[in-house]
Structure formats: structure tokens, C-alpha cells
Amino acid sequence: MCTTISNTAPVDGAGKGGAGWFPISVVNVGFDHATGSRFEHALLLDFADPDRGPGARVAVELDLESGRALIAALQATIEAAELSGAPV
Amino acid sequence: VPTVWNTFLTDDQSGLVAGVISYRSDVGDLIHAYLARPEGPGPFPGVHHLPGWDEIYREIARRLADHGYTVLAPDLYCRHGHGQPDDVAAMVRAAGGPPDDDVVADCAAARDWLRALPTSNGKVGIMGSCSGGRHAVLAASRASGFDAVVDLWGGGVVASPEQATAQRPVAPIEYTADLTAPLLGIFGDLDSSPSPAEVDQHEAELRKHGKKYAFHRYPDAGHGFFYYHRGIYRPEAAMDGWQKVFAFLAENLS
């Protein structure tokens, strides 16, 4: 926990962790020491419900290039979703 | 100091006791801590290790205890709840890290707890790696009464005013004049936090204030090169670094 680079966004959805599906209320995005990947530092994405305790999270670690690819894929998918007219 | 690694005598009485205790922080909260201590009446010096409770830090606590130190490793993330260490760390990271004021209070109380033990020799050091290295420098500077400080590649000891946060309002280097304990620093030249330039800056500040310190830098090592479970592990540098740590603790805490 060396960088103090961390941002949080509110989200509405659900994530699947070790104990099955649970509602998620925030996504925390940090850049700090990696735990599960080979990187020294990584983008740390946690889809979480803080009210359920520290274990209620779906964690993903990515390098920066992967993070940019994720943003592009999300953007393209959101645009297609809006064009489709299908309800959320 | 003779070589430390693997120098036990095969007929030594060298048991240890380890487990979780709780103690009261200077801000009033009860804090969990992992305690590892040699068996027997002592006297033993105390070492207070940071930052937390990952498996490797418990192992480091037992390693130090094996070499004759009573080690208390407070769970600085205790106030955020409990779970697997990486889950708790993720929650604390999202909250901006533990506030410096809480860390100093927790460390000061741990120092007093160790010194009050009937087995204490009266000496207490503080040691940490990564954010724990920063915390060790911070706590020893703001709360006097430590006899030795070990900073293992602590990032953020040097920080610009723009990097200040609510949790970390002042960079530890700003408190250098108040540091009363000798400081050992172990760093890798390939590290980016702290960078070699930041280590230079910290060293210049220590020299300016006439502090007792020793910095050792390893050219082929980066951040966290003691961590044998990561690709950043550098065994030769790590073994030499451990030797430096034990020599420094023996010199200042015996």
C-alpha cells in the first residue's frame, strides 16, 4: 500500500465471488502492489459491497494496457447497448 | 556480528511462542496484534513490526523471535474489519490507507506494551517494510522512545505537498529533526517508490540534522526484494540485507 492512488465509483449491480452472487455498491480502482498477478504494480479493481465486510469483493488485477483495452471494450459495449434499445 | 543465517546450535533450547493478542492503542481502541516471542525468562529486546498480517509478515515475526526478539506485529487495519489479508488490505486501500495519527498512536502503545513485559530488556525497536517502513520512520519521529528504526524500502517517506492526503497530511521526512533513534535503511536501486533520488533526499535530510543512520542500497534489486513469494525476490541481496538488519538490531537493542 505504497502509492495512495485510489478512486471509488458508486455502481449498481451484482458480482460473483467465492460464496456466490452478492449485490455490489462500489467499484474501487487503485494502482498499487499486485497480489495475485505477476506485476509489481497493477490496476486493482474491486467490485465490492463494503457493508458486507472485506471479503465481499470481486477482485481483478490488470496491467495498464489491459485497463485501456477494458475501457475501450466497455465503451463500445455501452454504445451498442444504447443503440439496441434493449432495456436495462 | 557473526553470520546470522543457520548458526543455531543443534542442541539449543530455542522454542518460541506465537499467537494473537490484543492491546489498547493510545487512541483508546483495542488492536489485534500478532505476538512472537522466545520461550524463557529473557531478558529479550522487543521489536515492533509493520505493516500488517500477511502470512509473510507473521513469518518474519517468528524469524525475529527465533533470533531472540519479542516481536509484536499490530494489525494496523484492524478498525476496518476482518477477513483474508488481501481483502482487508483492499478495503483499507480504498479508504486511503490507515490515518497517520492512528498509526502513531498504535505504534506508541505497542512500544510501551513491549517495554512493560517482564521479559523485556528495556529496549524496543520498530521495523517495517513498504508502507510499514514509512510508518516506522513516521512513528519513531513523532513518538520518541524507540531505540532503533529499520526502514525496508518504505515508499512515501519523501513526498511533495501535492501528494498529501487526509490520511497522510505530512511526509515523514518533515519530522526528521525529531527522530531520536538510529535508523537503518535498506533499499533497491531499481525501486520507484522510494526512488534512488528520494533515498538521496532522505539521506541528505538525516545528515543535515546530524542523525545516526546507515543506508544500504542494492543495485540489482527493486521494491520488496526480501519477498520470496514474488518475482521481485533477490536472494543474494535479501540475505545480505537480513544480515544488516540483525547486526543493526544487535548493536542497538542488546
Side-chain angles (χ1 to χ4, degrees):
Chain A
M1 202 175 298
C2 276
T3 67
T4 72
I5 299 171
S6 181
N7 292 288
T8 294
V11 295
D12 188 1
K16 191 172 184 182
W21 286 95
F22 61 93
I24 57 170
S25 57
V26 296
V27 56
N28 299 315
V29 183
F31 182 72
D32 214 317
H33 295 309
T35 301
S37 59
R38 63 185 167 81
F39 309 117
E40 184 176 339
H41 296 88
L43 289 171
L44 309 175
L45 278 64
D46 289 314
F47 297 87
D49 179 3
D51 292 340
R52 289 171 186 254
R57 67 168 182 144
V58 178
V60 175
E61 297 185 353
L62 302 172
D63 67 0
L64 297 180
E65 187 180 352
S66 304
R68 288 192 190 95
L70 174 63
I71 291 170
L74 271 173
Q75 188 63 42
T77 306
I78 289 168
E79 287 170 7
E82 288 174 338
L83 274 176
S84 76
V88 172
Chain B
V1 175
T3 300
V4 172
W5 176 249
N6 209 23
T7 53
F8 300 109
L9 300 178
T10 55
D11 60 350
D12 266 352
Q13 295 286 319
S14 56
L16 60 82
V17 181
V20 176
I21 61 121
S22 63
Y23 73 98
R24 195 167 295 283
S25 167
D26 279 3
V27 288
D29 301 331
L30 280 166
I31 300 295
H32 286 181
Y34 187 74
L35 172 70
R37 63 177 177 83
E39 281 184 327
F44 305 120
V47 174
H48 165 191
H49 188 269
L50 307 161
W53 272 25
D54 289 50
E55 186 159 341
I56 195 163
Y57 296 125
R58 293 193 186 211
E59 204 171 294
I60 288 172
R62 293 194 295 271
R63 183 177 204 182
L64 289 161
D66 250 344
H67 287 274
Y69 297 90
T70 301
V71 184
L72 192 66
D75 178 6
L76 295 179
Y77 308 157
C78 196
R79 296 176 181 87
H80 288 263
H82 296 287
Q84 292 182 7
D86 59 340
D87 290 336
V88 177
M91 181 171 267
V92 176
R93 183 188 310 114
D100 281 352
D101 286 350
D102 286 353
V103 170
V104 173
D106 295 353
C107 292
R111 172 203 63 204
D112 295 343
W113 192 97
L114 280 165
R115 192 167 275 136
L117 288 174
T119 54
S120 170
N121 74 343
K123 301 285 184 70
V124 177
I126 184 167
M127 167 175 167
S129 55
C130 193
S131 60
R134 177 187 177 279
H135 288 149
V137 173
L138 176 79
S141 303
R142 284 185 49 189
S144 60
F146 290 98
D147 299 293
V149 193
V150 180
D151 171 12
L152 305 177
W153 53 87
V157 170
V158 178
S160 65
E162 297 76 41
Q163 292 172 300
T165 65
Q167 290 79 12
R168 298 178 168 194
V170 180
I173 191 173
E174 303 297 330
Y175 299 111
T176 301
D178 301 324
L179 180 67
T180 54
L183 168 66
L184 172 70
I186 302 277
F187 307 100
D189 283 346
L190 304 180
D191 200 342
S192 59
S193 179
S195 66
E198 289 170 338
V199 176
D200 288 345
Q201 196 177 332
H202 190 197
E203 185 165 16
E205 192 71 7
L206 290 162
R207 199 178 297 128
K208 183 176 114 184
H209 291 282
K211 301 300 177 182
K212 186 178 176 189
Y213 75 96
F215 279 7
H216 300 280
R217 307 168 188 228
Y218 295 86
D220 300 321
H223 193 86
F225 60 92
F226 281 21
Y227 300 150
Y228 62 82
H229 63 308
R230 305 286 303 173
I232 52 182
Y233 183 50
R234 295 293 177 272
E236 291 85 1
M239 291 302 285
D240 189 77
W242 268 114
Q243 178 69 24
K244 298 280 194 302
V245 168
F246 278 114
F248 178 77
L249 294 178
E251 180 187 347
N252 292 288
L253 300 183
S254 297

